[in-house]
């Protein structure tokens, strides 16, 4: 009996559809991806969420992101609900070895980490990007410390190279067992740190330093993708491997005006409900399965189709109790187009708020039609740049698309607001870390989510949703700096406290890696449910420990640092340990 195919899934961060030679970019160097495009099934109308974590939730579950509890990238709304059945869990149960390398962004603490969701081997950074608040202190894309199966481990080299290196090593270690290798690059996400030789490829092509770096990061991905294909060929695995390349959302802006940034004629960038916010590349090749020649699929497809497609290609049965919001794309890949694909209605949106708002930054899609914000209608066939609203000319179509949205909203809202708590006191995770990145509140701006904000001492307020899994004595260690930084709770930082690659750092990103404002706290307080405890903060303390006796169950947890002058804010890091 023929063994199941391997799966290698390469997902880039914030790249989008335009910056590839095969998609018409006038000067980017992506020879390996261009060749792969020519040799693969490529979906020309593949759509995702408009930001990182929401797309990843849909890819890993086959469910609309809002329904999984993931509609933001911070604020506790990037945690994938515990009862979701994930692609790696399904493949592992079917006999696959599973490995994940790079960006996860669906939870940094138990039970939401990649190793809790079906991956056997994990090498990942924290949060939604390298140098974000949950990431190892001082990571700068070069010679960083990543979590290898949960253990901090130093690596040599540039981040994208490291993630591909570990992916290739995982493939080598799988032997004859089928494998799922998920390489999810941090690049080309901001702050656009990249070795100079890649930036220099484009320094004469654009006046924007940041855009040159962004393009250089993609060329580095391309080189690694070429290396991956060569490795599969050398191991005689390419024919029996489903190789997928995709980006997670529309192309990002680079933080400065770039009037000539190539956007493939589309309107909008990352975060936009217009086409440029959510149309992405999706290339798939599997020679042994009959998908080894260049085939273009023009039908409307979407990120929630990914998991059912992978399971069908791998011959994995879906239990009767499980289901998807998406459809397998295998019929389209076989050329069985049919009318149902033209009639299909699907939706994407951008929430990025504490509680989802109906119609917010939404796009309802059907074939060539796009209904934006529930009222603007565009015909992409006649108007690919979405400049002419034709809603008044097609009232019946607008009504049909609005009805499709209502059905989608009903699917999403079933359990949408159910809490997604971090577990405390679990047997397999005796110490948990709560981070301000996941702090819940009603004000999106009041979350500290990157290390530059920690260094500045930006104020944040709110609570964490937690689930006390066992009764006992719990110690809450409140910190302004993470343990690995080693700084005093009230202390500042003069100059540089971590080594960083100054030549590779993007202009304006230096504040992620040096300096730090002192904050004059004198009291640490923990409030959990009806219980409260406080301790004084001494000048030399690295952390302040509050001890409470707790019973099992869900709780709101607040951990506050305050001063006699009236200043108070949430602790940026809270280490929680059940001691008895």
């Amino acid at each position: 009996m023929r063994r199941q195919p391997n799966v290698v899934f390469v997902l880039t961060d914030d790249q989008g559809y335009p910056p590839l030679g095969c998609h018409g970019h006038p000067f980017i160097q992506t020879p390996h991806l261009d060749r792969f495009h020519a040799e693969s099934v490529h979906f020309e109308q593949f759509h995702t969420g408009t930001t990182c974590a929401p797309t990843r939730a849909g890819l890993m579950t086959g469910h609309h992101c809002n329904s999984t509890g993931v509609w933001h990238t911070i604020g506790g709304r990037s945690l994938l609900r515990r009862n979701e059945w994930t692609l790696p869990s399904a493949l592992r149960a079917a006999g696959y070895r599973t490995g994940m390398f790079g960006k996860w962004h669906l939870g940094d603490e138990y039970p939401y980490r990649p190793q809790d969701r079906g991956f056997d081997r994990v090498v990942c950074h924290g949060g939604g990007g390298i140098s974000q608040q949950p990431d190892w202190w001082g990571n700068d894309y070069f010679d960083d410390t990543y979590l290898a199966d949960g253990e901090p481990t130093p690596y040599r080299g540039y981040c994208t190279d490291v993630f591909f290196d570990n992916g290739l090593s995982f493939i080598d270690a799988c032997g004859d067992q089928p494998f799922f290798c998920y390489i999810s690059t941090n690049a080309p996400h901001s702050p656009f740190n990249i070795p100079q030789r890649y930036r220099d490829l484009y320094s004469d092509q654009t006046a924007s330093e940041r855009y040159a770096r962004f393009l250089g990061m993609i060329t580095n991905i391309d080189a690694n993708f070429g290396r991956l294909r060569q490795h599969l060929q050398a191991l005689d695995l390419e024919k029996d491997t489903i190789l997928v390349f995709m980006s997670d959302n529309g192309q990002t802006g680079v933080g400065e005006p770039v009037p000539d940034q190539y956007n493939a004629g589309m309107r909008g960038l990352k975060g936009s409900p217009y086409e440029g916010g959510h149309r992405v590349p999706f290339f798939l090749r599997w020679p042994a399965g009959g998908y080894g020649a260049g085939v273009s699929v023009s039908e409307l497809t979407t990120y929630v189709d990914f998991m059912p497609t992978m399971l069908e290609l791998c011959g994995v049965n879906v239990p009767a109790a499980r289901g998807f919001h998406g459809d397998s794309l295998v019929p389209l890949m076989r050329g069985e187009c049919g009318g149902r694909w033209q009639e299909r209605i699907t939706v994407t949106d951008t929430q990025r708020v504490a509680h989802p708002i109906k119609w917010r930054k939404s796009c309802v899609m059907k074939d060539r039609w796009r209904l934006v914000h529930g009222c603007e209608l565009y015909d992409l066939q006649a108007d690919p740049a979405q400049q002419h609203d034709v809603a008044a000319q097609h009232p019946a179509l607008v009504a049909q698309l609005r009805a499709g949205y209502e059905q989608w909203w009903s699917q999403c809202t079933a359990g949408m607001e159910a809490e997604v708590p971090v577990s405390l006191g679990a047997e397999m995770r005796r110490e948990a870390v709560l981070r301000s990145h996941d702090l819940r509140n009603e004000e999106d701006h009041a979350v500290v989510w990157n290390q530059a904000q920690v260094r500045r001492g930006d104020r944040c307020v709110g609570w964490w949703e937690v689930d006390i899994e066992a009764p006992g004595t719990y110690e809450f260690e409140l910190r302004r700096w993470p343990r690995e930084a080693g700084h005093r709770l009230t202390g500042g930082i003069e100059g540089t406290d971590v080594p960083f690659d100054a030549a590779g750092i993007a202009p304006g990103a230096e504040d992620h890696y040096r300096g730090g404002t002192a904050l004059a706290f004198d009291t640490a307080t923990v409030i959990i449910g009806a219980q409260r405890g406080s301790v004084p903060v001494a000048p030399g303390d690295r952390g302040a420990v509050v001890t409470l006796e707790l019973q099992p169950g869900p709780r709101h947890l607040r951990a506050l640092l305050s001063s006699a002058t009236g200043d108070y804010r949430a602790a940026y890091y809270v280490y929680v340990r059940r001691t008895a």
Side-chain angles (χ1 to χ4, degrees), residues 206-451:
T206 174
S208 168
E209 164 88 4
R210 288 172 175 263
Y211 190 46
R213 288 174 171 274
F214 171 75
L215 298 178
M217 295 170 89
I218 296 169
T219 295
N220 172 259
I221 292 169
D222 181 82
N224 276 289
F225 190 84
R227 186 162 63 95
L228 166 66
R229 291 197 69 185
Q230 289 176 351
H231 196 74
L232 293 172
Q233 291 163 7
L235 296 175
D236 196 25
L237 291 175
E238 187 175 40
K239 289 183 180 179
D240 291 317
T241 298
I242 301 168
L243 179 57
V244 177
F245 175 81
M246 188 189 301
S247 180
D248 63 348
N249 47 246
Q251 178 180 210
T252 190
V254 297
E256 62 186 15
V258 186
D260 57 350
Q261 181 174 0
Y262 177 74
N263 205 32
M266 297 184 292
R267 179 177 175 179
L269 296 168
K270 173 184 177 180
S272 169
Y274 298 100
E275 200 77 351
H278 45 85
R279 183 183 174 195
V280 301
F282 178 25
F283 310 155
L284 183 151
R285 188 171 190 265
W286 178 27
Y291 308 110
V295 175
S296 179
V297 176
S298 60
E299 282 77 11
L300 178 65
T301 51
T302 177
Y303 69 126
V304 296
D305 300 329
F306 181 73
M307 182 171 173
T309 301
M310 291 300 107
L311 294 186
E312 180 171 351
L313 289 174
C314 294
V316 177
N317 293 324
V318 178
R322 301 292 184 178
F324 304 109
H325 294 148
D327 299 297
S328 171
L329 302 178
V330 172
L332 282 178
M333 294 164 59
R334 292 174 179 159
E336 302 168 12
C337 300
R340 74 182 184 93
W341 297 99
Q342 281 71 40
E343 292 304 311
R344 175 189 215 206
I345 294 175
T346 189
V347 181
T348 192
D349 71 354
T350 305
Q351 291 292 338
R352 299 183 69 82
V353 289
H355 305 282
I357 300 169
K358 197 173 184 181
W359 293 105
R360 176 179 167 81
K361 294 187 177 181
S362 61
C363 179
V364 188
M365 297 174 277
K366 177 187 175 185
D367 194 22
R368 73 194 211 217
W369 300 99
R370 304 289 184 268
L371 182 70
V372 178
H373 302 308
C375 58
E376 303 171 17
L377 182 67
Y378 299 96
D379 178 358
L380 293 188
Q381 182 172 294
D383 177 27
Q386 294 177 283
Q387 298 298 307
H388 306 289
D389 178 6
V390 294
Q393 292 95 298
H394 301 276
L397 179 58
V398 169
Q400 182 191 31
L401 296 178
R402 287 182 63 88
Y405 180 94
E406 294 287 353
Q407 182 178 3
W408 171 84
W409 184 256
S410 294
Q411 285 182 313
C412 290
T413 52
M416 178 188 281
E417 290 287 0
E419 298 299 349
V420 188
V422 173
S423 291
L424 302 182
E427 281 299 322
M428 66 178 300
R429 186 68 169 160
R430 294 298 291 265
E431 184 172 74
V433 186
L434 303 175
R435 302 168 177 90
S436 60
H437 177 280
D438 298 322
L439 198 67
R440 294 282 306 279
N441 58 45
E442 303 298 331
E443 301 175 69
D444 176 55
H445 64 275
V447 173
V448 168
W449 58 270
N450 69 54
Q451 293 181 12

